[in-house]
Amino acid sequence: SVESCALPAADSKCQTLHYGVTSPISLAPPKDIDCVQTQKLVEAMRPFGVFEDEEEQNHRLVVLSKLNSLVKEWISELGESKNLPPSAAANVGGKIFTFGSYKLGVHTKGADIDAVCVAPRHVERSDFFQSFFEKLKHQEKIKNLRAVEDAYVPVVKFEFDGIEIDLVFARLSLQTVSDNLDLGDDSRLRSLDIRCIRSLNGCRVTDEILHLVPNKENFRLTLRAIKLWAKRRGIYSNILGFLGGVSWAMLVARTCQLYPNALASTLVNKFFLVFSKWEWPNPVLLKQPEESNLNLPVWDPRVNPSDRYHVMPIITPAYPQQNSTYNVSTSTRAVMVEEFKHGLAVTNEILQGKSDWSKLFEPLNFFQKYKHYIVLTASASTEEHHLEWVGLVESKIRVLVGNLERNEFITIAHVKPQSFPGNQELCKQSGYVSMWFLGIVFRKVENAESVNIDLTYVIQSFTDTVYRQANNLNVLKEGMKIEAAHVKRKHLHYFLPAETLQKRKKQSMPDITENASRLQCKRTSSDGNCLDSSRDADSRTPYNSSSLNKMSKLDTSTTEIERLATVAIRTSGPPIGYTIPGHNTISQLRAHFVQGHHELSGTPITDSKNAAPKRPYSLTSKRCHSPTSEGCPKKTRDGEKVRKGGGGRLSSKELPDSSSPVPTNSIRIIKKSIKLTLNG
């Protein structure tokens, strides 16, 4: 059942308790129309499979109960095999704790469950990945079992009676793990392996978020709406530099703290109001960070210089506090802020009775939004290799976005989170193919008839990074390739079917393309004062840590807009004495590289306006494959040309290790020149 109108009147603490690091913006109680609008919001969400029925919910409970029993049984058996006394082995316990969207109560139909297996001290991590893995193998209802032991948070993935489960492991320094164990106690982290701390972090953060919101039902319904909206608008992906589930949850939780008595329909609107006006890179905090004597690394820009360069910090509320959005770049933040503004305009219309809630969930028309795109393809000769290769390439696309947005002529690099299968011709020549598309906004250059832009080095440094990491992980196989090409909107039909590219009615909000150049050149505060433009000149901006100390001392006695301006304190540009890392060297390198573009590929710059051959963007050319036998001039980071000798295709063992900044002369990466001319 859906609590679509969770009125706070019965819960007096919503009126009196103080939530978050500032006072609320408004304590206004809901009106009858808010309840009506919230019910309409629920109905608009139903067609998208957002709500599970009672039967599906009960099935999840049964599966989790069976998994919990398996864990207890395994831990007891393991105790006996390690010579624990039979009475002790029978009572050592062990438990499955859930976290993520399932624990928050916002999972959708068919969604997976994130869980952690918490074990006592006689159970080693190797036991989990060996003996427990073997035990799962012999369960009739468990399918698609696989272990990812070398992940940042090592995980076992499987399907249990139709429910997908991601199970991580944590070993506590306790003799027994009881059913009423409190994972929120910081002392539980003492003397733990860092991988166990990371595994427990998901539970601890989820529990703390639920503890820090005034009304859980209003929070859940609002979060369901925002997650659906983010997915429909193509900005739900932590790995690609947008926000993941926990980050969206924290933004919604902060909105609930600022409007503790509001219903979901109002909270969705206020969410867009708050974060369309938020002065990034000020952090979003659900509570003041707490000190601890455990000496674990925490997010703190006053202490850690690297934390000052996070462009959209959203800080987890449980110790050790971390920034959940370290993957966000200047481009992805700009895309999200523009979507917040669009969401505000749409929800204002809805609450004024001019539109209905279905308009909020209209998908972004990505392939009509930009004039220029980069298409990135990853291909492999077998399905198994392709799955492995696609996962690695996707995890590195944010590196490409960062490379592109540092180019002086590029304002926005917007990757669409969804990948697409290659067309029949591509698959015929390259095997199994996946494609990603990046929308590009180029900066307008005043008083210039045309500008020549060379992106070859940008693309090349990205492919070098992927090939090098693939080699380091021993996953680089024969036939694995990455290729890229610049494509104009009018030529997208060579890659995608007509139904994917079909035009929809024009959006009511101005395109990001109209505002992007302004975004990097100038920022204006809510009171009209111009802010230091250097903050957006580079992809990473130093953060003024003094605002962290001021967050709890904000004056919220003014009007709502003025209060919003104080919720996130404005910061100035880089502190005196700081430089933007890599800024000057990148500029020098780019200038050197562009001057030498004829040496690099031997192809002259052509006017893209006139260059429209019958198949202008074929990605199956032999010139742009991954390591091959043909030699070509190659630029190293210092701009010098390196000649490569001939020879056969290299095995992965001959590829360079991570100690070299780019692949050395033992790797043959044949470049495909990516050059274009923009007419002024």
Side-chain angles (χ1 to χ4, degrees), residues 182-435:
D182 177 19
L183 292 179
D185 185 350
D186 288 356
S187 66
R188 297 277 179 251
L189 305 179
R190 196 178 303 279
S191 305
L192 292 197
D193 174 90
I194 187 62
R195 292 167 296 180
C196 292
I197 292 173
R198 289 173 188 155
S199 296
L200 292 173
N201 198 43
C203 281
R204 288 165 53 82
V205 168
T206 303
D207 291 345
E208 196 67 17
I209 290 171
L210 287 172
H211 178 68
L212 290 167
V213 294
N215 184 302
K216 292 181 179 61
E217 289 307 321
N218 289 337
F219 163 74
R220 286 179 177 128
L221 188 51
T222 306
L223 181 54
R224 284 184 185 276
I226 293 301
K227 287 179 69 169
L228 174 60
W229 164 82
K231 288 172 183 175
R232 298 287 288 170
R233 302 299 294 180
I235 54 173
Y236 191 108
S237 176
N238 177 53
I239 200 170
L240 290 176
F242 295 106
L243 304 190
V246 70
S247 300
W248 291 116
M250 288 189 286
L251 292 189
V252 171
R254 187 70 187 109
T255 308
C256 292
Q257 291 178 338
L258 294 170
Y259 300 88
N261 297 333
L263 298 186
S265 56
T266 302
L267 287 167
V268 169
N269 175 251
K270 298 304 185 186
F271 170 91
F272 293 125
L273 176 65
V274 169
F275 294 109
S276 64
K277 297 182 182 297
W278 195 270
E279 289 287 346
W280 305 106
N282 292 288
V284 175
L285 297 163
L286 296 182
K287 65 181 228 183
Q288 285 294 347
E290 295 172 356
E291 298 295 326
S292 174
N293 60 2
L294 297 178
N295 294 321
L296 295 171
V298 298
W299 185 87
D300 189 344
R302 296 167 299 188
V303 176
N304 310 315
S306 61
D307 290 347
R308 299 169 196 164
Y309 296 86
H310 293 170
V311 299
M312 197 177 183
I314 302 171
I315 310 306
T316 56
Y319 181 83
Q321 298 83 9
Q322 303 293 317
N323 175 23
S324 66
T325 60
Y326 54 84
N327 286 342
V328 173
S329 70
T330 304
S331 283
T332 53
R333 183 185 70 182
V335 169
M336 287 186 281
V337 169
E338 197 69 19
E339 285 297 334
F340 294 154
K341 292 175 181 175
H342 179 259
L344 178 61
V346 170
T347 52
N348 281 342
E349 282 184 13
I350 293 166
L351 296 181
Q352 291 164 12
K354 297 176 183 177
S355 293
D356 56 39
W357 285 101
S358 62
K359 184 172 182 180
L360 182 65
F361 305 119
E362 287 178 358
L364 175 70
N365 201 354
F366 180 82
F367 293 112
Q368 297 299 324
K369 190 174 181 68
Y370 300 102
K371 292 179 181 177
H372 299 273
Y373 294 84
I374 285 176
V375 57
L376 181 69
T377 67
S379 56
S381 52
T382 71
E383 188 173 9
E384 185 184 355
H385 288 174
H386 178 249
L387 283 172
E388 194 171 29
W389 187 229
V390 162
L392 178 62
V393 173
E394 185 178 52
S395 73
K396 293 297 169 190
I397 289 178
R398 66 179 186 272
V399 174
L400 176 58
V401 171
N403 289 351
L404 288 166
E405 67 186 14
R406 281 190 289 272
N407 185 287
E408 61 183 320
F409 297 112
I410 293 177
T411 308
I412 294 289
H414 178 186
V415 59
K416 184 173 177 63
Q418 177 189 1
S419 64
F420 296 84
N423 59 31
Q424 197 171 359
E425 184 181 333
L426 270 176
C427 292
K428 188 177 179 181
Q429 297 198 30
S430 299
Y432 295 85
V433 179
S434 290
M435 302 184 294

Side-chain angles (χ1 to χ4, degrees), residues 101-221:
S101 63
Y102 179 76
K103 182 61 183 287
L104 287 172
V106 296
H107 60 285
T108 57
K109 285 183 180 179
D112 63 1
I113 295 177
D114 294 309
V116 56
C117 168
V118 178
R121 65 190 184 195
H122 74 270
V123 183
E124 302 287 343
R125 178 169 291 275
S126 57
D127 296 325
F128 177 73
F129 282 98
Q130 292 169 18
S131 62
F132 185 62
F133 189 85
E134 284 301 313
K135 190 175 184 69
L136 291 176
K137 260 187 188 178
H138 294 97
Q139 302 302 312
E140 189 181 335
K141 292 191 175 181
I142 289 184
K143 298 176 182 176
N144 301 326
L145 178 65
R146 57 214 184 275
V148 190
E149 206 169 343
D150 57 354
Y152 182 74
V153 182
V155 61
V156 170
K157 295 170 172 277
F158 54 93
E159 194 177 300
F160 195 158
D161 200 7
I163 304 292
E164 286 187 34
I165 294 176
D166 286 0
L167 187 63
V168 298
F169 174 80
R171 169 187 183 250
L172 300 186
S173 52
L174 300 172
Q175 281 186 314
T176 62
V177 171
S178 62
D179 284 340
N180 61 357
L181 176 70
D182 177 19
L183 292 179
D185 185 350
D186 288 356
S187 66
R188 297 277 179 251
L189 305 179
R190 196 178 303 279
S191 305
L192 292 197
D193 174 90
I194 187 62
R195 292 167 296 180
C196 292
I197 292 173
R198 289 173 188 155
S199 296
L200 292 173
N201 198 43
C203 281
R204 288 165 53 82
V205 168
T206 303
D207 291 345
E208 196 67 17
I209 290 171
L210 287 172
H211 178 68
L212 290 167
V213 294
N215 184 302
K216 292 181 179 61
E217 289 307 321
N218 289 337
F219 163 74
R220 286 179 177 128
L221 188 51

Side-chain angles (χ1 to χ4, degrees), residues 595-609:
Q595 289 169 3
H597 63 79
H598 289 292
E599 296 177 51
L600 177 72
S601 62
T603 39
I605 294 177
T606 57
D607 188 336
S608 59
K609 190 174 182 181

